[in-house]
Structures are given as C-alpha cells and as structure tokens.
Amino acid sequence: MSAQPQGNAPAVAHGAAGVIAARAKGAAAEGPDEAAIINDMLSGYLLLVLGCISATLVIWRLSTGLSRYIRHVSCLTNDTQTYFARAGSKWSWFKKNVQYSPIFSKRHNREFQLSSAINVGTLPTRLQLVFLLGYFSTNVAFCVMGIDFSKPVAASATVFINRTGTLAVANMIPLFLMAGRNNPLLYLLGISFDTFNLLHRWLGRIVALEALAHTLGYLYRTAATKGWSVAFEGIFKSSFLIYGFVATASFVVIAIQASSVFRHAFYEIFKILHICLAIASVVGLYYHLGPKGFPQIKYLYPVMVLWAFDRTARFLRVAYYNFGSGGGKALVEALPGGSTRVTVTMARPWFFKPSQHAYLYFPSVSLWQSHPFSVAWSEEADSPSGEKLPMDRRDILAMKKTTVSFILRGRTGMTGNLYEKAASCIDGKLVTRCLVEGPYGGMHQMHSYGTVMLFAGGVGITQAVPHVRDLVIAYSNGMAATRKVILVWTIQSPEHLEWIRPWMTEVLGMEKRREVLRIMLFVSRPRSTKEIHSPSSTVQMFPGRPNIDTLLAREMEDQVGHMGVSVCGPGALSDEVRRAVRNKQYNGAIDFVEEAFSW
C-alpha cells in the first residue's frame, strides 16, 4: 500500500461551520422544517468533505503519474539517470515524516497479538490517523453543533435525534462504497483496497455510534416524561420503531463482531454474519424511513445502488472468466511448508499485470467463502479445437487458454482444508473446481524506476515474481527505465523454494537476465550449513534474516536513477523495510510501495 495525502476533514468544513451553527441555534424554535434543512446541510458538508479529499487525491494521482511517465520515457536510453537519482530535501522530508510515516517510530503493519488466538489488529499510518481523527471529530461536532441543551428535553433531544439519524444514514454512502471490491475510487484515487478496508471499518464504527446515539436519544426523550419502562416497551408497539431498532441493533452487532479479535478468530463466521447484518440494517432502515416519507430515504437509495452494482459486477467477473470453454478447472498441488500451488484454467484470456490479485472460490471446500490472493504467474497456451483455421481476432483469442497460478499458505479454514485434501491425494495433486473473481489491483508498476528492490517474506514472493518477470522482459526489449532489479526473499527452509521453482527456472533462462537481475535468498531456519549454497554470483543464498538497512545502503551507493522499493510479507518485515526507506530519504530518490491484505 502506498500512502497518499488524504487531507484534513475539519479544515474543509471549517468555513461553513459558523454559518451552520448560527442557523442551528434557532432550528428547534423555528420548527421541524428548519431543523431538517440544517441536517441536510450538515450531511451535505460531510459528503463534500470526502469529495474535496477525493478531488485532491485525483490531482495527486495525475501529477505523480505524469511524473513517472516522463521519467520512464526519458530514461529508456539513459543508463546513468543521474538527474532522477537526486533527492529533493523538501520532498524527502514529506515522504519521511508524512507519506510513509507510521504513527510512532516503526510499527504499522505488524499485528498486535495477545496470544496465538487473540489478534487486536494493526496501527494506521500517521496520515491515515490524521484523516480518521479529523473525520471523526467533524462528525462529533456536527452531531451537537448549535443544539441548545439548556432548553427542555423535548426540544433539544428532538433536534439531536434527527441530527444523528440523518448523519448516520448519510455516512452509509461512503461506508458501502469503500466496502466494494469494484469501488471505482480504487483506480481514480490510487489508494489500495487495504486502505479502503481500514476506512470502511472506521466509518462503520462512526455509523454505529451515530445510530446508537439516535436510538438512545429517542429513549431518553420518552423516558424524561413517561419513564424508562414505557420508553422500552414503546419500541415494540410500532413497526416504525421496530424497524429502526433492527437497523441500530444490526449496526451495533456489526461493530462488535467486526473488531479484530472476533474477525481474526472466527473469520468464516464473521464474513457470513457481516453480510447478513448489513442486509438487515438496510432493510430495517428502508421500512423505518420509507413508509413515513422521511427525507433521509434519499441517502439510502445510493447505498442500495452501490451494493447492487458491486454484487452484479462481481458475478459478471466470475461468469466471464470461468464459465464455458473449459474454464474453472484447477490443479491443486500440496507443497512443503503446508502450502498449495493452485493453477486455474480460465475460460477467456486474462490480461495480466504484476501486483494483481483475485478472490478464489472452492465450492467443494467452502461453498460461500472467497479469499484474496496475489496472482503469482500467468501463462497463455494455444488450445486449438478442431481443424478450423482462425478467421479473425475473436477466433484467435478463442484458441488461447490462459492459466493463472497462486500460492496459498495453509492456515485454518479454507486454506487449511484445501491443503489437507491435496496432501491426501496420490502425488499430492488434486483436480477440483475453482472460480476466480478478478483481476483486481495492478496499480503499482515499476517500469519507471532505474533501480528496483523487491522484498518478500514467505508467500509474499507471489507479489514479487510477476514484477521480476515483467521487468526482465521489459529490459530485454528496451521498454523500461530499469537497469537493476534486486529480489530479496526470506524463507524458513530451502524446501520453500519449491513453491516457485518452475517459474523461477523460466525467469533465470530469459534473455539478458544476468545483466539486470540479482536474487538474494535468506533462510531463517536452516537445518544445517550444507543447505546454504549459492548457485551463481547473481543467485546467492545466506543463512539468517536480511539486514534491510545494510542491503538498502549498499544498493544506493551504486543507485541508477530513481529507486523503487516494494515489500510483501509478514508485518514485521514490512515495517522494517518501511523504516529503512524512511531513513534513506535524504540519501537519494527512493519510493516505497507496500502490498498488504488486511482482514
């Protein structure tokens, strides 16, 4: 995930805050129509805040994309690229202290684990924290802005109830947008799904808190005159209140069961329950708002459209790439270290790019579950059917069979069950049905960098291998600025080399590979020193773990052009690489890309 400037939410709304506060003070006295106008204005400003931040990020993405394109074209025939290797002091400061910075010194992607079964999640980056605190503070301020709580409960509580309810429904628009796999903002803003997932979780908590405040405000208003028993009993005497209570209860339960502890411990159950509760909340709100014609229903319609769009797009992706022409058949191979290599035959050509991922469904293992995995390899082979010669481009494409491959580390749930089924078969190979939903991602391409360092830990190698192949081919064809590619892969045992052996054999046999590619393998738990041997000067093996600072400093001494550093692996490795890149910002031009899937 490459951190991007995300703005300060309160700053966007600050100019209008005084005007709204002045109008809001008299809303209760002037009647419900004025209060409704104020609530709509506040909801509109919340969405405007997000719109302004999005527009800023679009400009950021366009400017950085243009910069990369100019650098790429300028360096195609430039072997030194000295100009692009220089670091600007202001830009280096921004990247070190803002763009790539964790909240504190180093920790960001490494999870906080109280035990092997209790995981309490990760920390956001400094920029993400600023946005989250700003947006949360803006919501709190808007919930109470201009309300005179010294007035009778009936007046002040009514304004508060309507205000919190309106803001909760309005916030559901970005909440559901950020949850979608086909979120158009992913590509427009250049923000990773992992970041949107983080924002989705925190927006969900804001919606849950506002819905809870809305319900408690109603109960308090009723209890102030009739008592708490009457207030609670009244909820179940009206369908209007029952549906509202269902929506609030759904939000609160989602907020609890979506916490990191429950999400990691019972992910399969969490996912199904999460979808069911989200549906219940939308249905409850629809029947809470619709029959009485409340104006807040206008915010719920986009929510339903976004959810329907994402589900339809997902179904179409699955149908297009998997149904017909022998698609959807997978070869599952049990590998050392409890991992599996899954090779799926697609029904139609897949235009593959490095850093893409897809969601895999195994109906025979887990009917409804899908999980994201990096695409490690993709190949096309001719598969002629009959003796008919191809007459046009459509016929030629129909003769191509695309296979995509993944490495799945066996853990609990689906991946563990899949490994056990494959390991129990003859030769450790299983042929089964697999549906691939994708491709997604592919935003981080490395052709514009003169020097590329790819760090991988364990199955994180699946993100690095496509970049290696892509860069070697591009270098050989004179289509990349890249002159040096360094792959650093940390594994626990030499047996894990089997995960990618067929693909790396092909890469090592490519034209001009020795001119551009060096591979360093670090074995953290070798059984003996005899296992550690380097095949050549460009493929070296070492015991222990890599010293990221030392490796990065060594490559920067002979840096060619702008350096791009990518990492995919355990959180501790990602944090270590991030820290090293931040510390080297003043030594040369260097960018950082983190590929991660948080769940």
Side-chain angles (χ1 to χ4, degrees):
M1 176 198 68
S2 181
Q4 306 288 345
Q6 292 170 308
N8 190 335
V12 180
H14 178 72
V19 177
I20 296 174
R23 293 190 63 176
K25 285 182 179 179
E30 296 180 24
D33 291 339
E34 178 67 15
I37 293 173
I38 295 297
N39 293 340
D40 275 345
M41 288 180 64
L42 291 171
S43 300
Y45 276 114
L46 270 184
L47 298 179
L48 179 63
V49 165
L50 297 179
C52 290
I53 294 173
S54 297
T56 303
L57 287 175
V58 168
I59 296 172
W60 168 272
R61 178 164 170 75
L62 290 174
S63 60
T64 54
L66 179 61
S67 174
R68 285 194 296 268
Y69 176 77
I70 293 173
R71 185 174 70 225
H72 184 186
V73 174
S74 302
C75 296
L76 287 176
T77 57
N78 184 349
D79 290 332
T80 57
Q81 305 176 26
T82 305
Y83 174 80
F84 294 99
R86 299 169 183 166
S89 59
K90 294 181 179 178
W91 194 238
S92 296
W93 181 92
F94 174 78
K95 290 196 290 186
K96 178 179 180 180
N97 297 288
V98 181
Q99 187 176 1
Y100 301 147
S101 177
I103 296 176
F104 303 112
S105 60
K106 183 174 77 171
R107 191 160 194 157
H108 163 57
N109 203 32
R110 184 183 176 187
E111 296 172 332
F112 287 92
Q113 288 190 297
L114 302 182
S115 69
S116 59
I118 301 177
N119 186 319
V120 294
T122 60
L123 292 174
T125 64
R126 190 172 296 173
L127 205 55
Q128 290 168 347
L129 180 65
V130 169
F131 170 78
L132 292 172
L133 287 177
Y135 195 71
F136 181 83
S137 301
T138 302
N139 272 270
V140 172
F142 281 10
C143 283
V144 298
M145 182 181 291
I147 301 178
D148 188 354
F149 289 100
S150 64
K151 289 187 175 182
V153 172
S156 59
T158 298
V159 178
F160 179 77
I161 292 165
N162 293 335
R163 181 81 57 80
T164 52
T166 302
L167 294 177
V169 182
N171 273 315
M172 289 178 66
I173 298 175
L175 173 67
F176 275 69
L177 177 63
M178 292 177 181
R181 297 176 186 176
N182 295 279
N183 178 2
L185 295 182
L186 286 166
Y187 302 96
L188 286 174
L189 308 186
I191 295 179
S192 68
F193 182 75
D194 188 66
T195 298
F196 270 116
N197 204 10
L198 170 73
L199 300 180
H200 167 74
R201 290 196 294 268
W202 280 99
L203 266 171
R205 289 162 186 152
I206 290 173
V207 170
L209 288 173
E210 288 174 338
L212 186 61
H214 173 75
T215 301
L216 293 178
Y218 169 81
L219 291 172
Y220 178 74
R221 185 185 63 180
T222 306
T225 56
K226 300 178 182 180
W228 286 102
S229 60
V230 174
F232 282 109
E233 290 172 3
I235 290 179
F236 304 100
K237 293 181 179 179
S238 164
S239 60
F240 161 72
L241 294 177
I242 290 174
Y243 283 118
F245 182 76
V246 167
T248 297
S250 298
F251 285 132
V252 172
V253 174
I254 285 177
I256 295 172
Q257 62 103 211
S259 63
S260 184
V261 173
F262 293 102
R263 193 172 69 247
H264 285 82
F266 311 102
Y267 182 75
E268 311 287 345
I269 298 174
F270 151 77
K271 195 169 184 181
I272 296 174
L273 187 59
H274 196 76
I275 295 172
C276 293
L277 289 170
I279 294 173
S281 67
V282 172
V283 172
L285 270 178
Y286 181 81
Y287 287 104
H288 179 65
L289 301 172
K292 290 185 176 290
F294 283 112
Q296 292 85 354
I297 192 72
K298 66 186 177 185
Y299 297 117
L300 193 61
Y301 291 138
V303 170
M304 294 187 286
V305 170
L306 288 170
W307 189 87
F309 167 77
D310 184 62
R311 292 288 160 171
T312 301
R314 289 170 58 178
F315 172 79
L316 292 176
R317 282 181 185 267
V318 172
Y320 180 79
Y321 285 112
N322 296 275
F323 298 159
S325 303
K329 184 173 69 173
L331 172 64
V332 182
E333 304 170 80
L335 300 174
S339 298
T340 54
R341 182 166 54 227
V342 178
T343 303
V344 187
T345 301
M346 310 302 295
R348 291 171 182 82
W350 177 313
F351 301 101
F352 174 70
K353 293 192 300 183
S355 78
Q356 284 183 332
H357 66 275
Y359 292 81
L360 302 186
Y361 299 80
F362 292 93
S364 64
V365 179
S366 182
L367 183 61
W368 301 109
Q369 294 297 320
S370 64
H371 298 267
F373 300 98
S374 296
V375 182
W377 196 259
S378 179
E379 286 184 316
E380 280 192 0
D382 292 330
S383 180
S385 55
E387 299 179 356
K388 181 182 177 180
L389 294 176
M391 301 299 294
D392 54 24
R393 183 175 180 273
R394 185 183 303 174
D395 292 339
I396 294 174
L397 290 176
M399 294 174 61
K400 298 287 186 180
K401 282 296 181 185
T402 301
T403 60
V404 290
S405 300
F406 308 83
I407 301 295
L408 282 58
R409 189 67 184 267
R411 302 186 189 278
T412 58
M414 186 194 79
T415 54
N417 295 336
L418 185 66
Y419 173 78
E420 291 176 2
K421 289 190 69 172
S424 64
C425 295
I426 300 175
D427 297 331
K429 296 181 179 181
L430 167 71
V431 177
T432 187
R433 180 75 170 167
C434 177
L435 303 178
V436 180
E437 180 196 327
Y440 295 105
M443 292 184 292
H444 300 131
Q445 304 304 304
M446 311 296 283
H447 294 83
S448 66
Y449 295 103
T451 304
V452 176
M453 287 196 76
L454 304 166
F455 290 90
V459 292
I461 191 63
T462 56
Q463 184 269 340
V465 169
H467 280 298
V468 170
R469 179 176 70 167
D470 184 56
L471 291 171
V472 170
I473 292 174
Y475 172 81
S476 179
N477 294 331
M479 298 299 292
T482 310
R483 298 297 184 268
K484 293 172 63 179
V485 180
I486 303 96
L487 172 62
V488 181
W489 185 23
T490 304
I491 51 179
Q492 293 180 350
S493 167
E495 292 180 341
H496 297 173
L497 295 172
E498 190 60 35
W499 296 349
I500 61 169
R501 187 179 299 279
W503 309 325
M504 287 308 298
T505 299
E506 183 172 332
V507 169
L508 294 176
M510 288 180 175
E511 184 180 0
K512 298 184 180 181
R513 186 272 305 175
R514 291 180 178 273
E515 298 178 16
V516 66
L517 175 64
R518 286 189 292 113
I519 300 175
M520 289 182 278
L521 304 171
F522 288 84
V523 183
S524 60
R525 300 176 185 176
R527 287 173 294 190
S528 69
T529 55
K530 296 180 180 179
E531 292 183 326
I532 310 300
H533 60 279
S534 300
S536 67
S537 60
T538 57
V539 181
Q540 297 177 303
M541 185 178 290
F542 307 92
R545 300 181 184 276
N547 186 315
I548 308 298
D549 276 316
T550 301
L551 294 177
L552 200 57
R554 184 184 303 167
E555 296 305 327
M556 293 189 76
E557 290 178 358
D558 302 315
Q559 178 177 338
V560 177
H562 204 112
M563 177 181 283
V565 178
S566 174
V567 61
C568 185
L573 173 65
S574 296
D575 289 351
E576 193 65 36
V577 174
R578 178 186 292 268
R579 184 191 62 81
V581 170
R582 291 179 62 231
N583 290 339
K584 296 292 187 296
Q585 282 300 318
Y586 294 100
N587 296 9
I590 179 171
D591 288 347
F592 174 72
V593 177
E594 180 183 56
E595 296 287 350
F597 293 116
S598 64
W599 52 279

